């Protein structure tokens, strides 16, 4: 048995609709307390003591380092007299922004986030050029926090201006000409900046050369509608400001304001039941993406003089496949998700179809975006066994040419992926992709990681990851299930995994595990489940509902206390997917029925568990993970370890430096294989 740190129990009891629910570890929600800090230190001492004693952990770390050690470059983009791109030389903690003055000219370092902090924990978030390309506004994050700082620099000289915008959260950076830019943020919360609840989002305009205190409140004041998420952006011609307001992660209201006319703000939508987004302005019409009366999505056009929903007319009609849209070179590019694979169609702004874009293979293509004046567009193509290559696309002729081939040294010819459709508990067919080394024998012996998410209309599309490829090379199988709750098959697929239908997501994941076992890919003694954020909830729920089915559970930065998630940071905004314990007695009872923190049973043998979180996660606060592991360590009836790994000076995942990525990957893989009793093939 492991000698876990003692976790103090309080006598706090909450009452929900006359039912009393104990919350003995409420004190762990206080991320500012010395007691919590001491608890974190004690837990990490036990966890890292275990992980670093695994004999092959160091060798796995070296294997992951070798797999990731190749030059990675983004697609280029032209701004002013320069061509810019992102490059990581292989193991740099953060990618560097380079620029070149022309084809054949040497590239120079333009912005290097690795110089901003000693351990590479300060990352570059967004980079936005003014309309005339003279100025750049960029945002940074420290320690993975969602709170950002915006800086402004002269694009030609690279010199910083005096402008500095602090305490920005969930924001774009959208220029109006070169005079300034729009950004969104909340009033700074009282108490902990990492866990205190954030309420009303506000849109501001910052004029270049002025102090932040002089920034103009554009939307979100006392006389405006109040929203939890507010965004503002201008059409490419700088004529219109578009404002989006939402109170949840699905559905929004749209407003438009003529910046060169009356300045009147007009509401485009009647309610927030659908997702809508203005793509651009063309010939007096607004082009809008929406899933209003079109669950798979469509493109509509409307006269800016009468832009209300009743006047919307189809430009690109809804099809049977989920639609996303991009613009570039004066064209629309409609990307369709067909059984989790990309198909792209090119249209004129009038809605006339130009062509089906020929892609390099079956997988995920992303890009086809740029300014209207751009003569060449770029896109990347990848799948689970093919590292991302960059392609040049001529929008006039439709010709595609390889621009930059990936420098990844992993031999894709030795890897294989197979898409299957398995049957969930209620008979629904669910797609899953299984990746493995060619020629393996299906004898149930292979260490397998099953990954899922299943929420927030997010689609898990095929993409290469060198660390996953390394897992396969070491003898493992990696499977990705496209669960309900995601966006793979449009709005209906999403809604089938929300609120009182959330159990469908867990059933889909459990059925995926049962399929892998029944088809002899693996066995319960060789199966691990992994997911992050909403996927951490997925793992927590499945391991408490079916602890017999998995050898290892890996819930990462998970939403695990379903009765209180909405009381932290922006958690209230997730209610579209989850509902809340205050919503109704029926919803409370449903959440209580699967909430991982509340469903750990005394004496049950749970899978070997490595909970992972980070002390600066202000998206899903680490208290979720703290309370869950406290319950597991107190009640778990087996001798296999239930541990928590708490990253320091890291957040929800975005901007994590490479050395932390490799450390985490090595710990997860080593823990899995050690608990499965498998020696990695190194």
């Amino acid at each position: 048995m492991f000698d876990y740190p003692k976790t103090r129990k309080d006598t706090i009891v909450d009452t929900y609709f006359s039912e009393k629910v104990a919350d003995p570890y409420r004190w762990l929600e206080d991320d500012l307390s010395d007691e919590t800090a001491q608890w974190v230190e004690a837990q990490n001492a036990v966890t890292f003591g275990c992980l670093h004693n695994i004999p092959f952990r160091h060798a796995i770390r070296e294997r992951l380092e070798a797999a990731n050690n190749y030059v990675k470059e983004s697609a280029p983009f032209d701004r002013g007299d320069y061509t810019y791109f992102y490059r990581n030389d292989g193991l740099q903690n953060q990618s560097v922004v380079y620029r070149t003055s022309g084809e054949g000219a040497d590239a120079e370092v333009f912005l290097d986030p690795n110089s901003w902090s000693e351990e590479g924990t300060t990352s570059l978030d967004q980079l936005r050029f003014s309309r005339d390309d003279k100025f750049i506004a960029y945002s940074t994050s420290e320690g993975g926090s969602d709170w950002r700082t915006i800086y402004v620099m002269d694009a030609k000289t690279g010199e910083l201006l005096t402008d500095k915008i602090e305490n920005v959260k969930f924001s774009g950076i959208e220029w109006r000409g070169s005079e300034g830019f729009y950004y969104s943020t909340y009033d700074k919360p009282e108490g902990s900046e990492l866990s205190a609840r954030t309420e009303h989002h506000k849109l501001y305009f910052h004029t270049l050369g002025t102090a932040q205190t002089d920034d103009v409140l554009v939307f979100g004041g006392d006389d405006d509608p109040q929203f939890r998420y507010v965004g503002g952006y201008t059409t490419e011609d700088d004529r219109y400001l578009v404002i989006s307001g939402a109170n949840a992660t699905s559905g929004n209201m749209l407003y438009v304001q003529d910046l060169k006319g009356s300045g009147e703000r007009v509401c485009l939508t009647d309610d927030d039941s659908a997702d809508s987004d203005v793509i651009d302005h063309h010939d007096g019409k607004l082009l809008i993406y929406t899933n209003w009366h079109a669950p798979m999505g469509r493109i509509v056009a409307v006269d800016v003089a009468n832009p209300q929903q009743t006047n919307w007319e189809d430009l690109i009609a809804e099809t049977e496949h989920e639609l996303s849209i991009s613009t570039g070179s004066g064209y629309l590019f409609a990307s369709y998700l067909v059984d989790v694979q990309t198909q792209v169609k090119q249209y004129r702004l009038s809605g006339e179809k130009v062509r089906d874009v020929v892609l390099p293979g079956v997988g995920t293509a992303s890009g086809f975006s740029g300014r209207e004046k751009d003569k060449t567009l770029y896109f990347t193509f990848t799948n689970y066994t093919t590292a991302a290559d960059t392609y040049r696309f001529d929008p006039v002729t439709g010709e595609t040419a390889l621009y930059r081939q990936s420098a990844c040294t992993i031999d894709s010819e030795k890897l294989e992926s197979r898409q299957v459709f398995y049957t969930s508990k209620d008979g629904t067919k669910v797609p899953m992709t299984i990746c493995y080394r060619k020629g393996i024998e299906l004898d149930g012996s292979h260490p397998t990681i099953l990954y899922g998410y299943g929420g927030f209309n997010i689609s898990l599309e095929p993409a290469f990851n060198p660390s996953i490829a390394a897992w396969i090379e070491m003898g493992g199988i990696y499977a990705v299930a496209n669960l309900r709750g995601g966006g793979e098959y449009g709005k209906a697929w999403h809604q089938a995994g929300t609120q009182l239908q959330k159990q469908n997501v867990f059933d889909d994941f459990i059925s995926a595990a049962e399929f892998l076992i029944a088809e002899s890919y693996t066995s319960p003694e060789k199966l691990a489940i992994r997911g992050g954020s909403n996927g951490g909830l997925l793992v927590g729920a499945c391991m408490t509902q079916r602890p017999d089915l998995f050898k290892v559970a890996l819930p990462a930065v998970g939403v695990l206390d379903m009765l209180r998630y909405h009381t932290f940071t922006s958690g209230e905004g997730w209610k579209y997917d989850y509902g809340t314990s205050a919503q109704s007695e029926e919803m409370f009872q449903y959440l209580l029925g699967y909430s991982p923190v509340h469903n750990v049973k005394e004496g049950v043998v749970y899978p070997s568990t490595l909970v992972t979180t980070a002390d600066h996660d202000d998206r899903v606060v680490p208290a979720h993970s703290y309370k869950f592991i406290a319950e597991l360590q107190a009640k778990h009836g087996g001798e296999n370890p239930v541990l928590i790994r708490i990253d320091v000076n890291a957040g929800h995942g975005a901007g994590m430096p490479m050395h932390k990525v490799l450390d985490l990957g090595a710990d997860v893989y080593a823990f899995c294989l050690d608990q499965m009793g498998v020696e990695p093939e190194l």
Side-chain angles (χ1 to χ4, degrees):
M1 296 286 289
F2 277 75
D3 186 16
Y4 301 115
K6 295 292 185 285
T7 306
R8 176 173 64 82
K9 297 180 73 171
D10 268 342
T11 57
I12 293 175
V13 176
D14 294 315
T15 302
Y16 300 86
F17 301 98
S18 76
E19 182 166 339
K20 296 185 183 302
V21 180
D23 193 1
Y25 304 114
R26 176 79 59 86
W27 63 272
L28 286 168
E29 294 178 2
D30 185 358
D31 54 273
L32 296 179
S33 80
D34 290 338
E35 187 179 14
T36 300
Q38 291 166 8
W39 181 89
V40 166
E41 186 177 354
Q43 289 285 350
N44 270 345
V46 172
T47 299
F48 286 110
C50 170
L51 295 173
H52 292 176
N53 280 328
I54 297 173
F56 43 74
R57 188 265 177 196
H58 181 69
I60 291 177
R61 174 65 163 74
E62 290 184 331
R63 180 69 191 87
L64 293 180
E65 185 173 306
N68 283 274
N69 193 11
Y70 63 94
V71 175
K72 308 166 192 73
E73 289 190 6
S74 73
F77 55 97
D78 295 330
R79 295 291 184 268
D81 297 328
Y82 296 93
T83 297
Y84 294 80
F85 60 93
Y86 293 79
R87 174 192 286 165
N88 191 303
D89 289 344
L91 299 176
Q92 288 177 289
N93 284 318
Q94 305 291 340
S95 293
V96 178
V97 183
Y98 284 80
R99 71 178 181 184
T100 177
S101 57
E103 197 164 332
D106 291 337
E108 62 179 9
V109 173
F110 181 68
L111 207 56
D112 184 3
N114 298 290
S115 65
W116 296 343
S117 59
E118 188 173 341
E119 292 193 343
T121 51
T122 301
S123 60
L124 174 64
D125 176 40
Q126 297 180 71
L127 184 72
R128 297 289 183 268
F129 285 75
S130 61
R131 293 293 183 192
D132 60 8
D133 298 326
K134 290 182 178 179
F135 302 104
I136 298 171
Y138 66 90
S139 55
T140 65
S141 166
E142 295 185 14
S145 170
D146 279 333
W147 292 97
R148 309 287 197 247
T149 302
I150 299 176
Y151 299 90
V152 183
M153 65 192 308
D154 184 299
K156 185 175 183 179
T157 66
E159 293 181 1
L160 281 174
L161 278 61
T162 57
D163 305 69
K164 183 180 181 181
I165 314 298
E166 298 181 291
N167 300 314
V168 176
K169 190 171 187 179
F170 298 153
S171 176
I173 304 173
E174 299 291 339
W175 284 88
R176 186 175 75 200
S178 60
E179 62 181 288
F181 53 85
Y182 297 92
Y183 68 92
S184 308
T185 194
Y186 303 91
D187 293 335
K188 194 170 183 179
E190 296 181 7
S192 171
E193 193 174 272
L194 294 177
S195 60
R197 186 175 164 117
T198 48
E199 294 289 346
H200 298 132
H201 220 192
K202 299 177 180 180
L203 179 68
Y204 291 89
F205 182 76
H206 172 75
T207 300
L208 221 55
T210 65
Q212 184 175 358
T213 52
D214 295 328
D215 290 350
V216 176
L217 178 62
V218 176
F219 188 87
D222 294 339
D223 296 331
D224 295 322
Q226 302 294 302
F227 293 102
R228 190 165 298 277
Y229 308 111
V230 171
Y233 52 96
T234 53
T235 53
E236 188 172 341
D237 60 6
D238 253 355
R239 178 67 188 266
Y240 295 96
L241 169 66
V242 181
I243 300 171
S244 172
N247 283 312
T249 51
S250 186
N252 68 305
M253 296 287 290
L254 271 184
Y255 304 84
V256 65
Q257 181 177 349
D258 189 343
L259 296 175
K260 298 180 180 178
S262 66
E264 180 185 2
R265 189 170 70 217
V266 178
C267 186
L268 274 65
T269 50
D270 296 329
D271 55 49
D272 63 356
S273 62
D275 305 289
S276 302
D277 181 38
V278 173
I279 302 164
D280 213 345
H281 167 238
H282 177 67
D283 285 347
K285 291 188 175 183
L286 297 175
L287 309 184
I288 302 170
Y289 163 86
T290 185
N291 56 22
W292 178 61
H293 292 170
M296 293 293 184
R298 59 181 171 138
I299 307 302
V300 300
V302 65
D303 193 311
V304 292
N306 296 286
Q308 293 77 15
Q309 275 177 297
T310 51
N311 298 319
W312 292 5
E313 296 182 352
D314 277 5
L315 196 68
I316 301 176
E318 180 189 24
T319 72
E320 60 181 323
H321 302 298
E322 174 78 353
L323 167 68
S324 60
I325 199 79
S326 61
T327 62
S329 303
Y331 294 95
L332 299 171
F333 292 88
S335 179
Y336 294 97
L337 204 55
V338 182
D339 287 336
V340 208
Q341 314 291 342
T342 305
Q343 291 183 6
V344 179
K345 301 179 187 295
Q346 181 181 355
Y347 291 86
R348 302 189 193 282
L349 297 180
S350 62
E352 176 190 357
K353 182 180 175 182
V354 178
R355 62 176 59 88
D356 293 327
V357 177
V358 178
L359 299 178
V362 176
T364 302
S366 56
F368 299 102
S369 61
R371 294 178 172 179
E372 186 170 355
K373 65 181 181 181
D374 290 344
K375 303 300 183 186
T376 301
L377 300 177
Y378 297 87
F379 70 94
T380 59
F381 178 81
T382 183
N383 54 41
Y384 287 117
T385 61
T386 305
D389 294 327
T390 302
Y391 291 82
R392 180 189 283 115
F393 177 77
D394 187 325
V396 176
T397 65
E399 292 181 2
T400 295
L402 182 64
Y403 175 77
R404 182 179 292 113
Q405 188 168 20
S406 170
C408 181
T409 58
I410 290 175
D411 187 356
S412 295
E413 292 300 315
K414 295 181 179 179
L415 310 180
E416 189 168 336
S417 69
R418 175 190 175 209
Q419 187 182 59
V420 300
F421 289 83
Y422 65 90
T423 304
S424 190
K425 183 178 181 180
D426 64 356
T428 300
K429 294 293 185 182
V430 181
M432 174 167 59
T433 301
I434 309 170
C435 309
Y436 46 86
R437 207 166 53 193
K438 284 184 179 177
I440 65 167
E441 184 179 352
L442 297 184
D443 57 4
S445 68
H446 304 288
T448 299
I449 295 177
L450 171 61
Y451 182 85
Y453 186 79
F456 295 90
N457 203 38
I458 292 172
S459 303
L460 297 184
E461 300 180 52
F464 184 82
N465 183 316
S467 294
I468 293 172
W471 167 261
I472 296 170
E473 287 187 328
M474 289 188 291
I477 290 176
Y478 192 83
V480 179
N482 296 102
L483 315 170
R484 281 175 285 184
E488 287 86 350
Y489 294 100
K491 197 69 175 174
W493 191 255
H494 174 208
Q495 291 176 332
T498 61
Q499 298 204 22
L500 297 174
Q501 289 77 239
K502 189 65 178 177
Q503 184 61 40
N504 286 336
V505 186
F506 312 142
D507 290 341
D508 288 355
F509 204 50
I510 289 168
S511 297
E514 291 173 336
F515 176 91
L516 293 169
I517 293 165
E519 296 297 316
S520 298
Y521 286 95
T522 191
S523 66
E525 288 300 305
K526 297 290 189 294
L527 178 59
I529 50 173
R530 188 178 190 186
S533 195
N534 173 73
L537 164 62
L538 172 71
V539 173
C542 290
M543 67 176 282
T544 50
Q545 292 182 13
R546 287 294 306 276
D548 60 302
L549 194 57
F550 320 107
K551 179 62 178 177
V552 177
L554 304 164
V557 293
V559 187
L560 299 164
D561 183 345
M562 298 309 296
L563 301 188
R564 286 180 55 77
Y565 79 85
H566 61 293
T567 66
F568 305 112
T569 61
S570 59
E572 178 83 17
W574 312 334
K575 62 187 177 184
Y576 183 94
D577 266 58
Y578 297 147
T580 72
S581 56
Q583 181 175 319
S584 68
E585 186 170 5
E586 181 185 27
M587 195 72 246
F588 156 68
Q589 291 291 349
Y590 193 83
L591 291 168
L592 182 63
Y594 75 78
S595 175
V597 164
H598 300 92
N599 282 278
V600 179
K601 308 300 183 186
E602 188 78 45
V604 172
V605 177
Y606 289 101
S608 301
T609 302
L610 182 62
V611 177
T612 55
T613 187
D615 67 347
H616 277 61
D617 189 346
D618 48 5
R619 185 85 55 87
V620 180
V621 295
H624 285 277
S625 297
Y626 296 171
K627 293 166 77 171
F628 184 55
I629 201 65
E631 292 284 353
L632 277 174
Q633 291 177 350
K635 297 177 178 177
H636 172 47
E639 295 187 2
N640 47 303
V642 287
L643 304 170
I644 184 167
R645 182 189 187 280
I646 306 158
D647 237 325
V648 177
N649 204 20
H652 199 59
M656 181 179 283
M658 178 59 74
H659 73 89
K660 285 184 178 290
V661 171
L662 296 176
D663 286 342
L664 176 60
D667 287 341
V668 166
Y669 288 171
F671 182 78
C672 283
L673 295 172
D674 182 59
Q675 293 304 304
M676 295 173 183
V678 175
E679 285 277 340
E681 299 176 29
L682 296 165

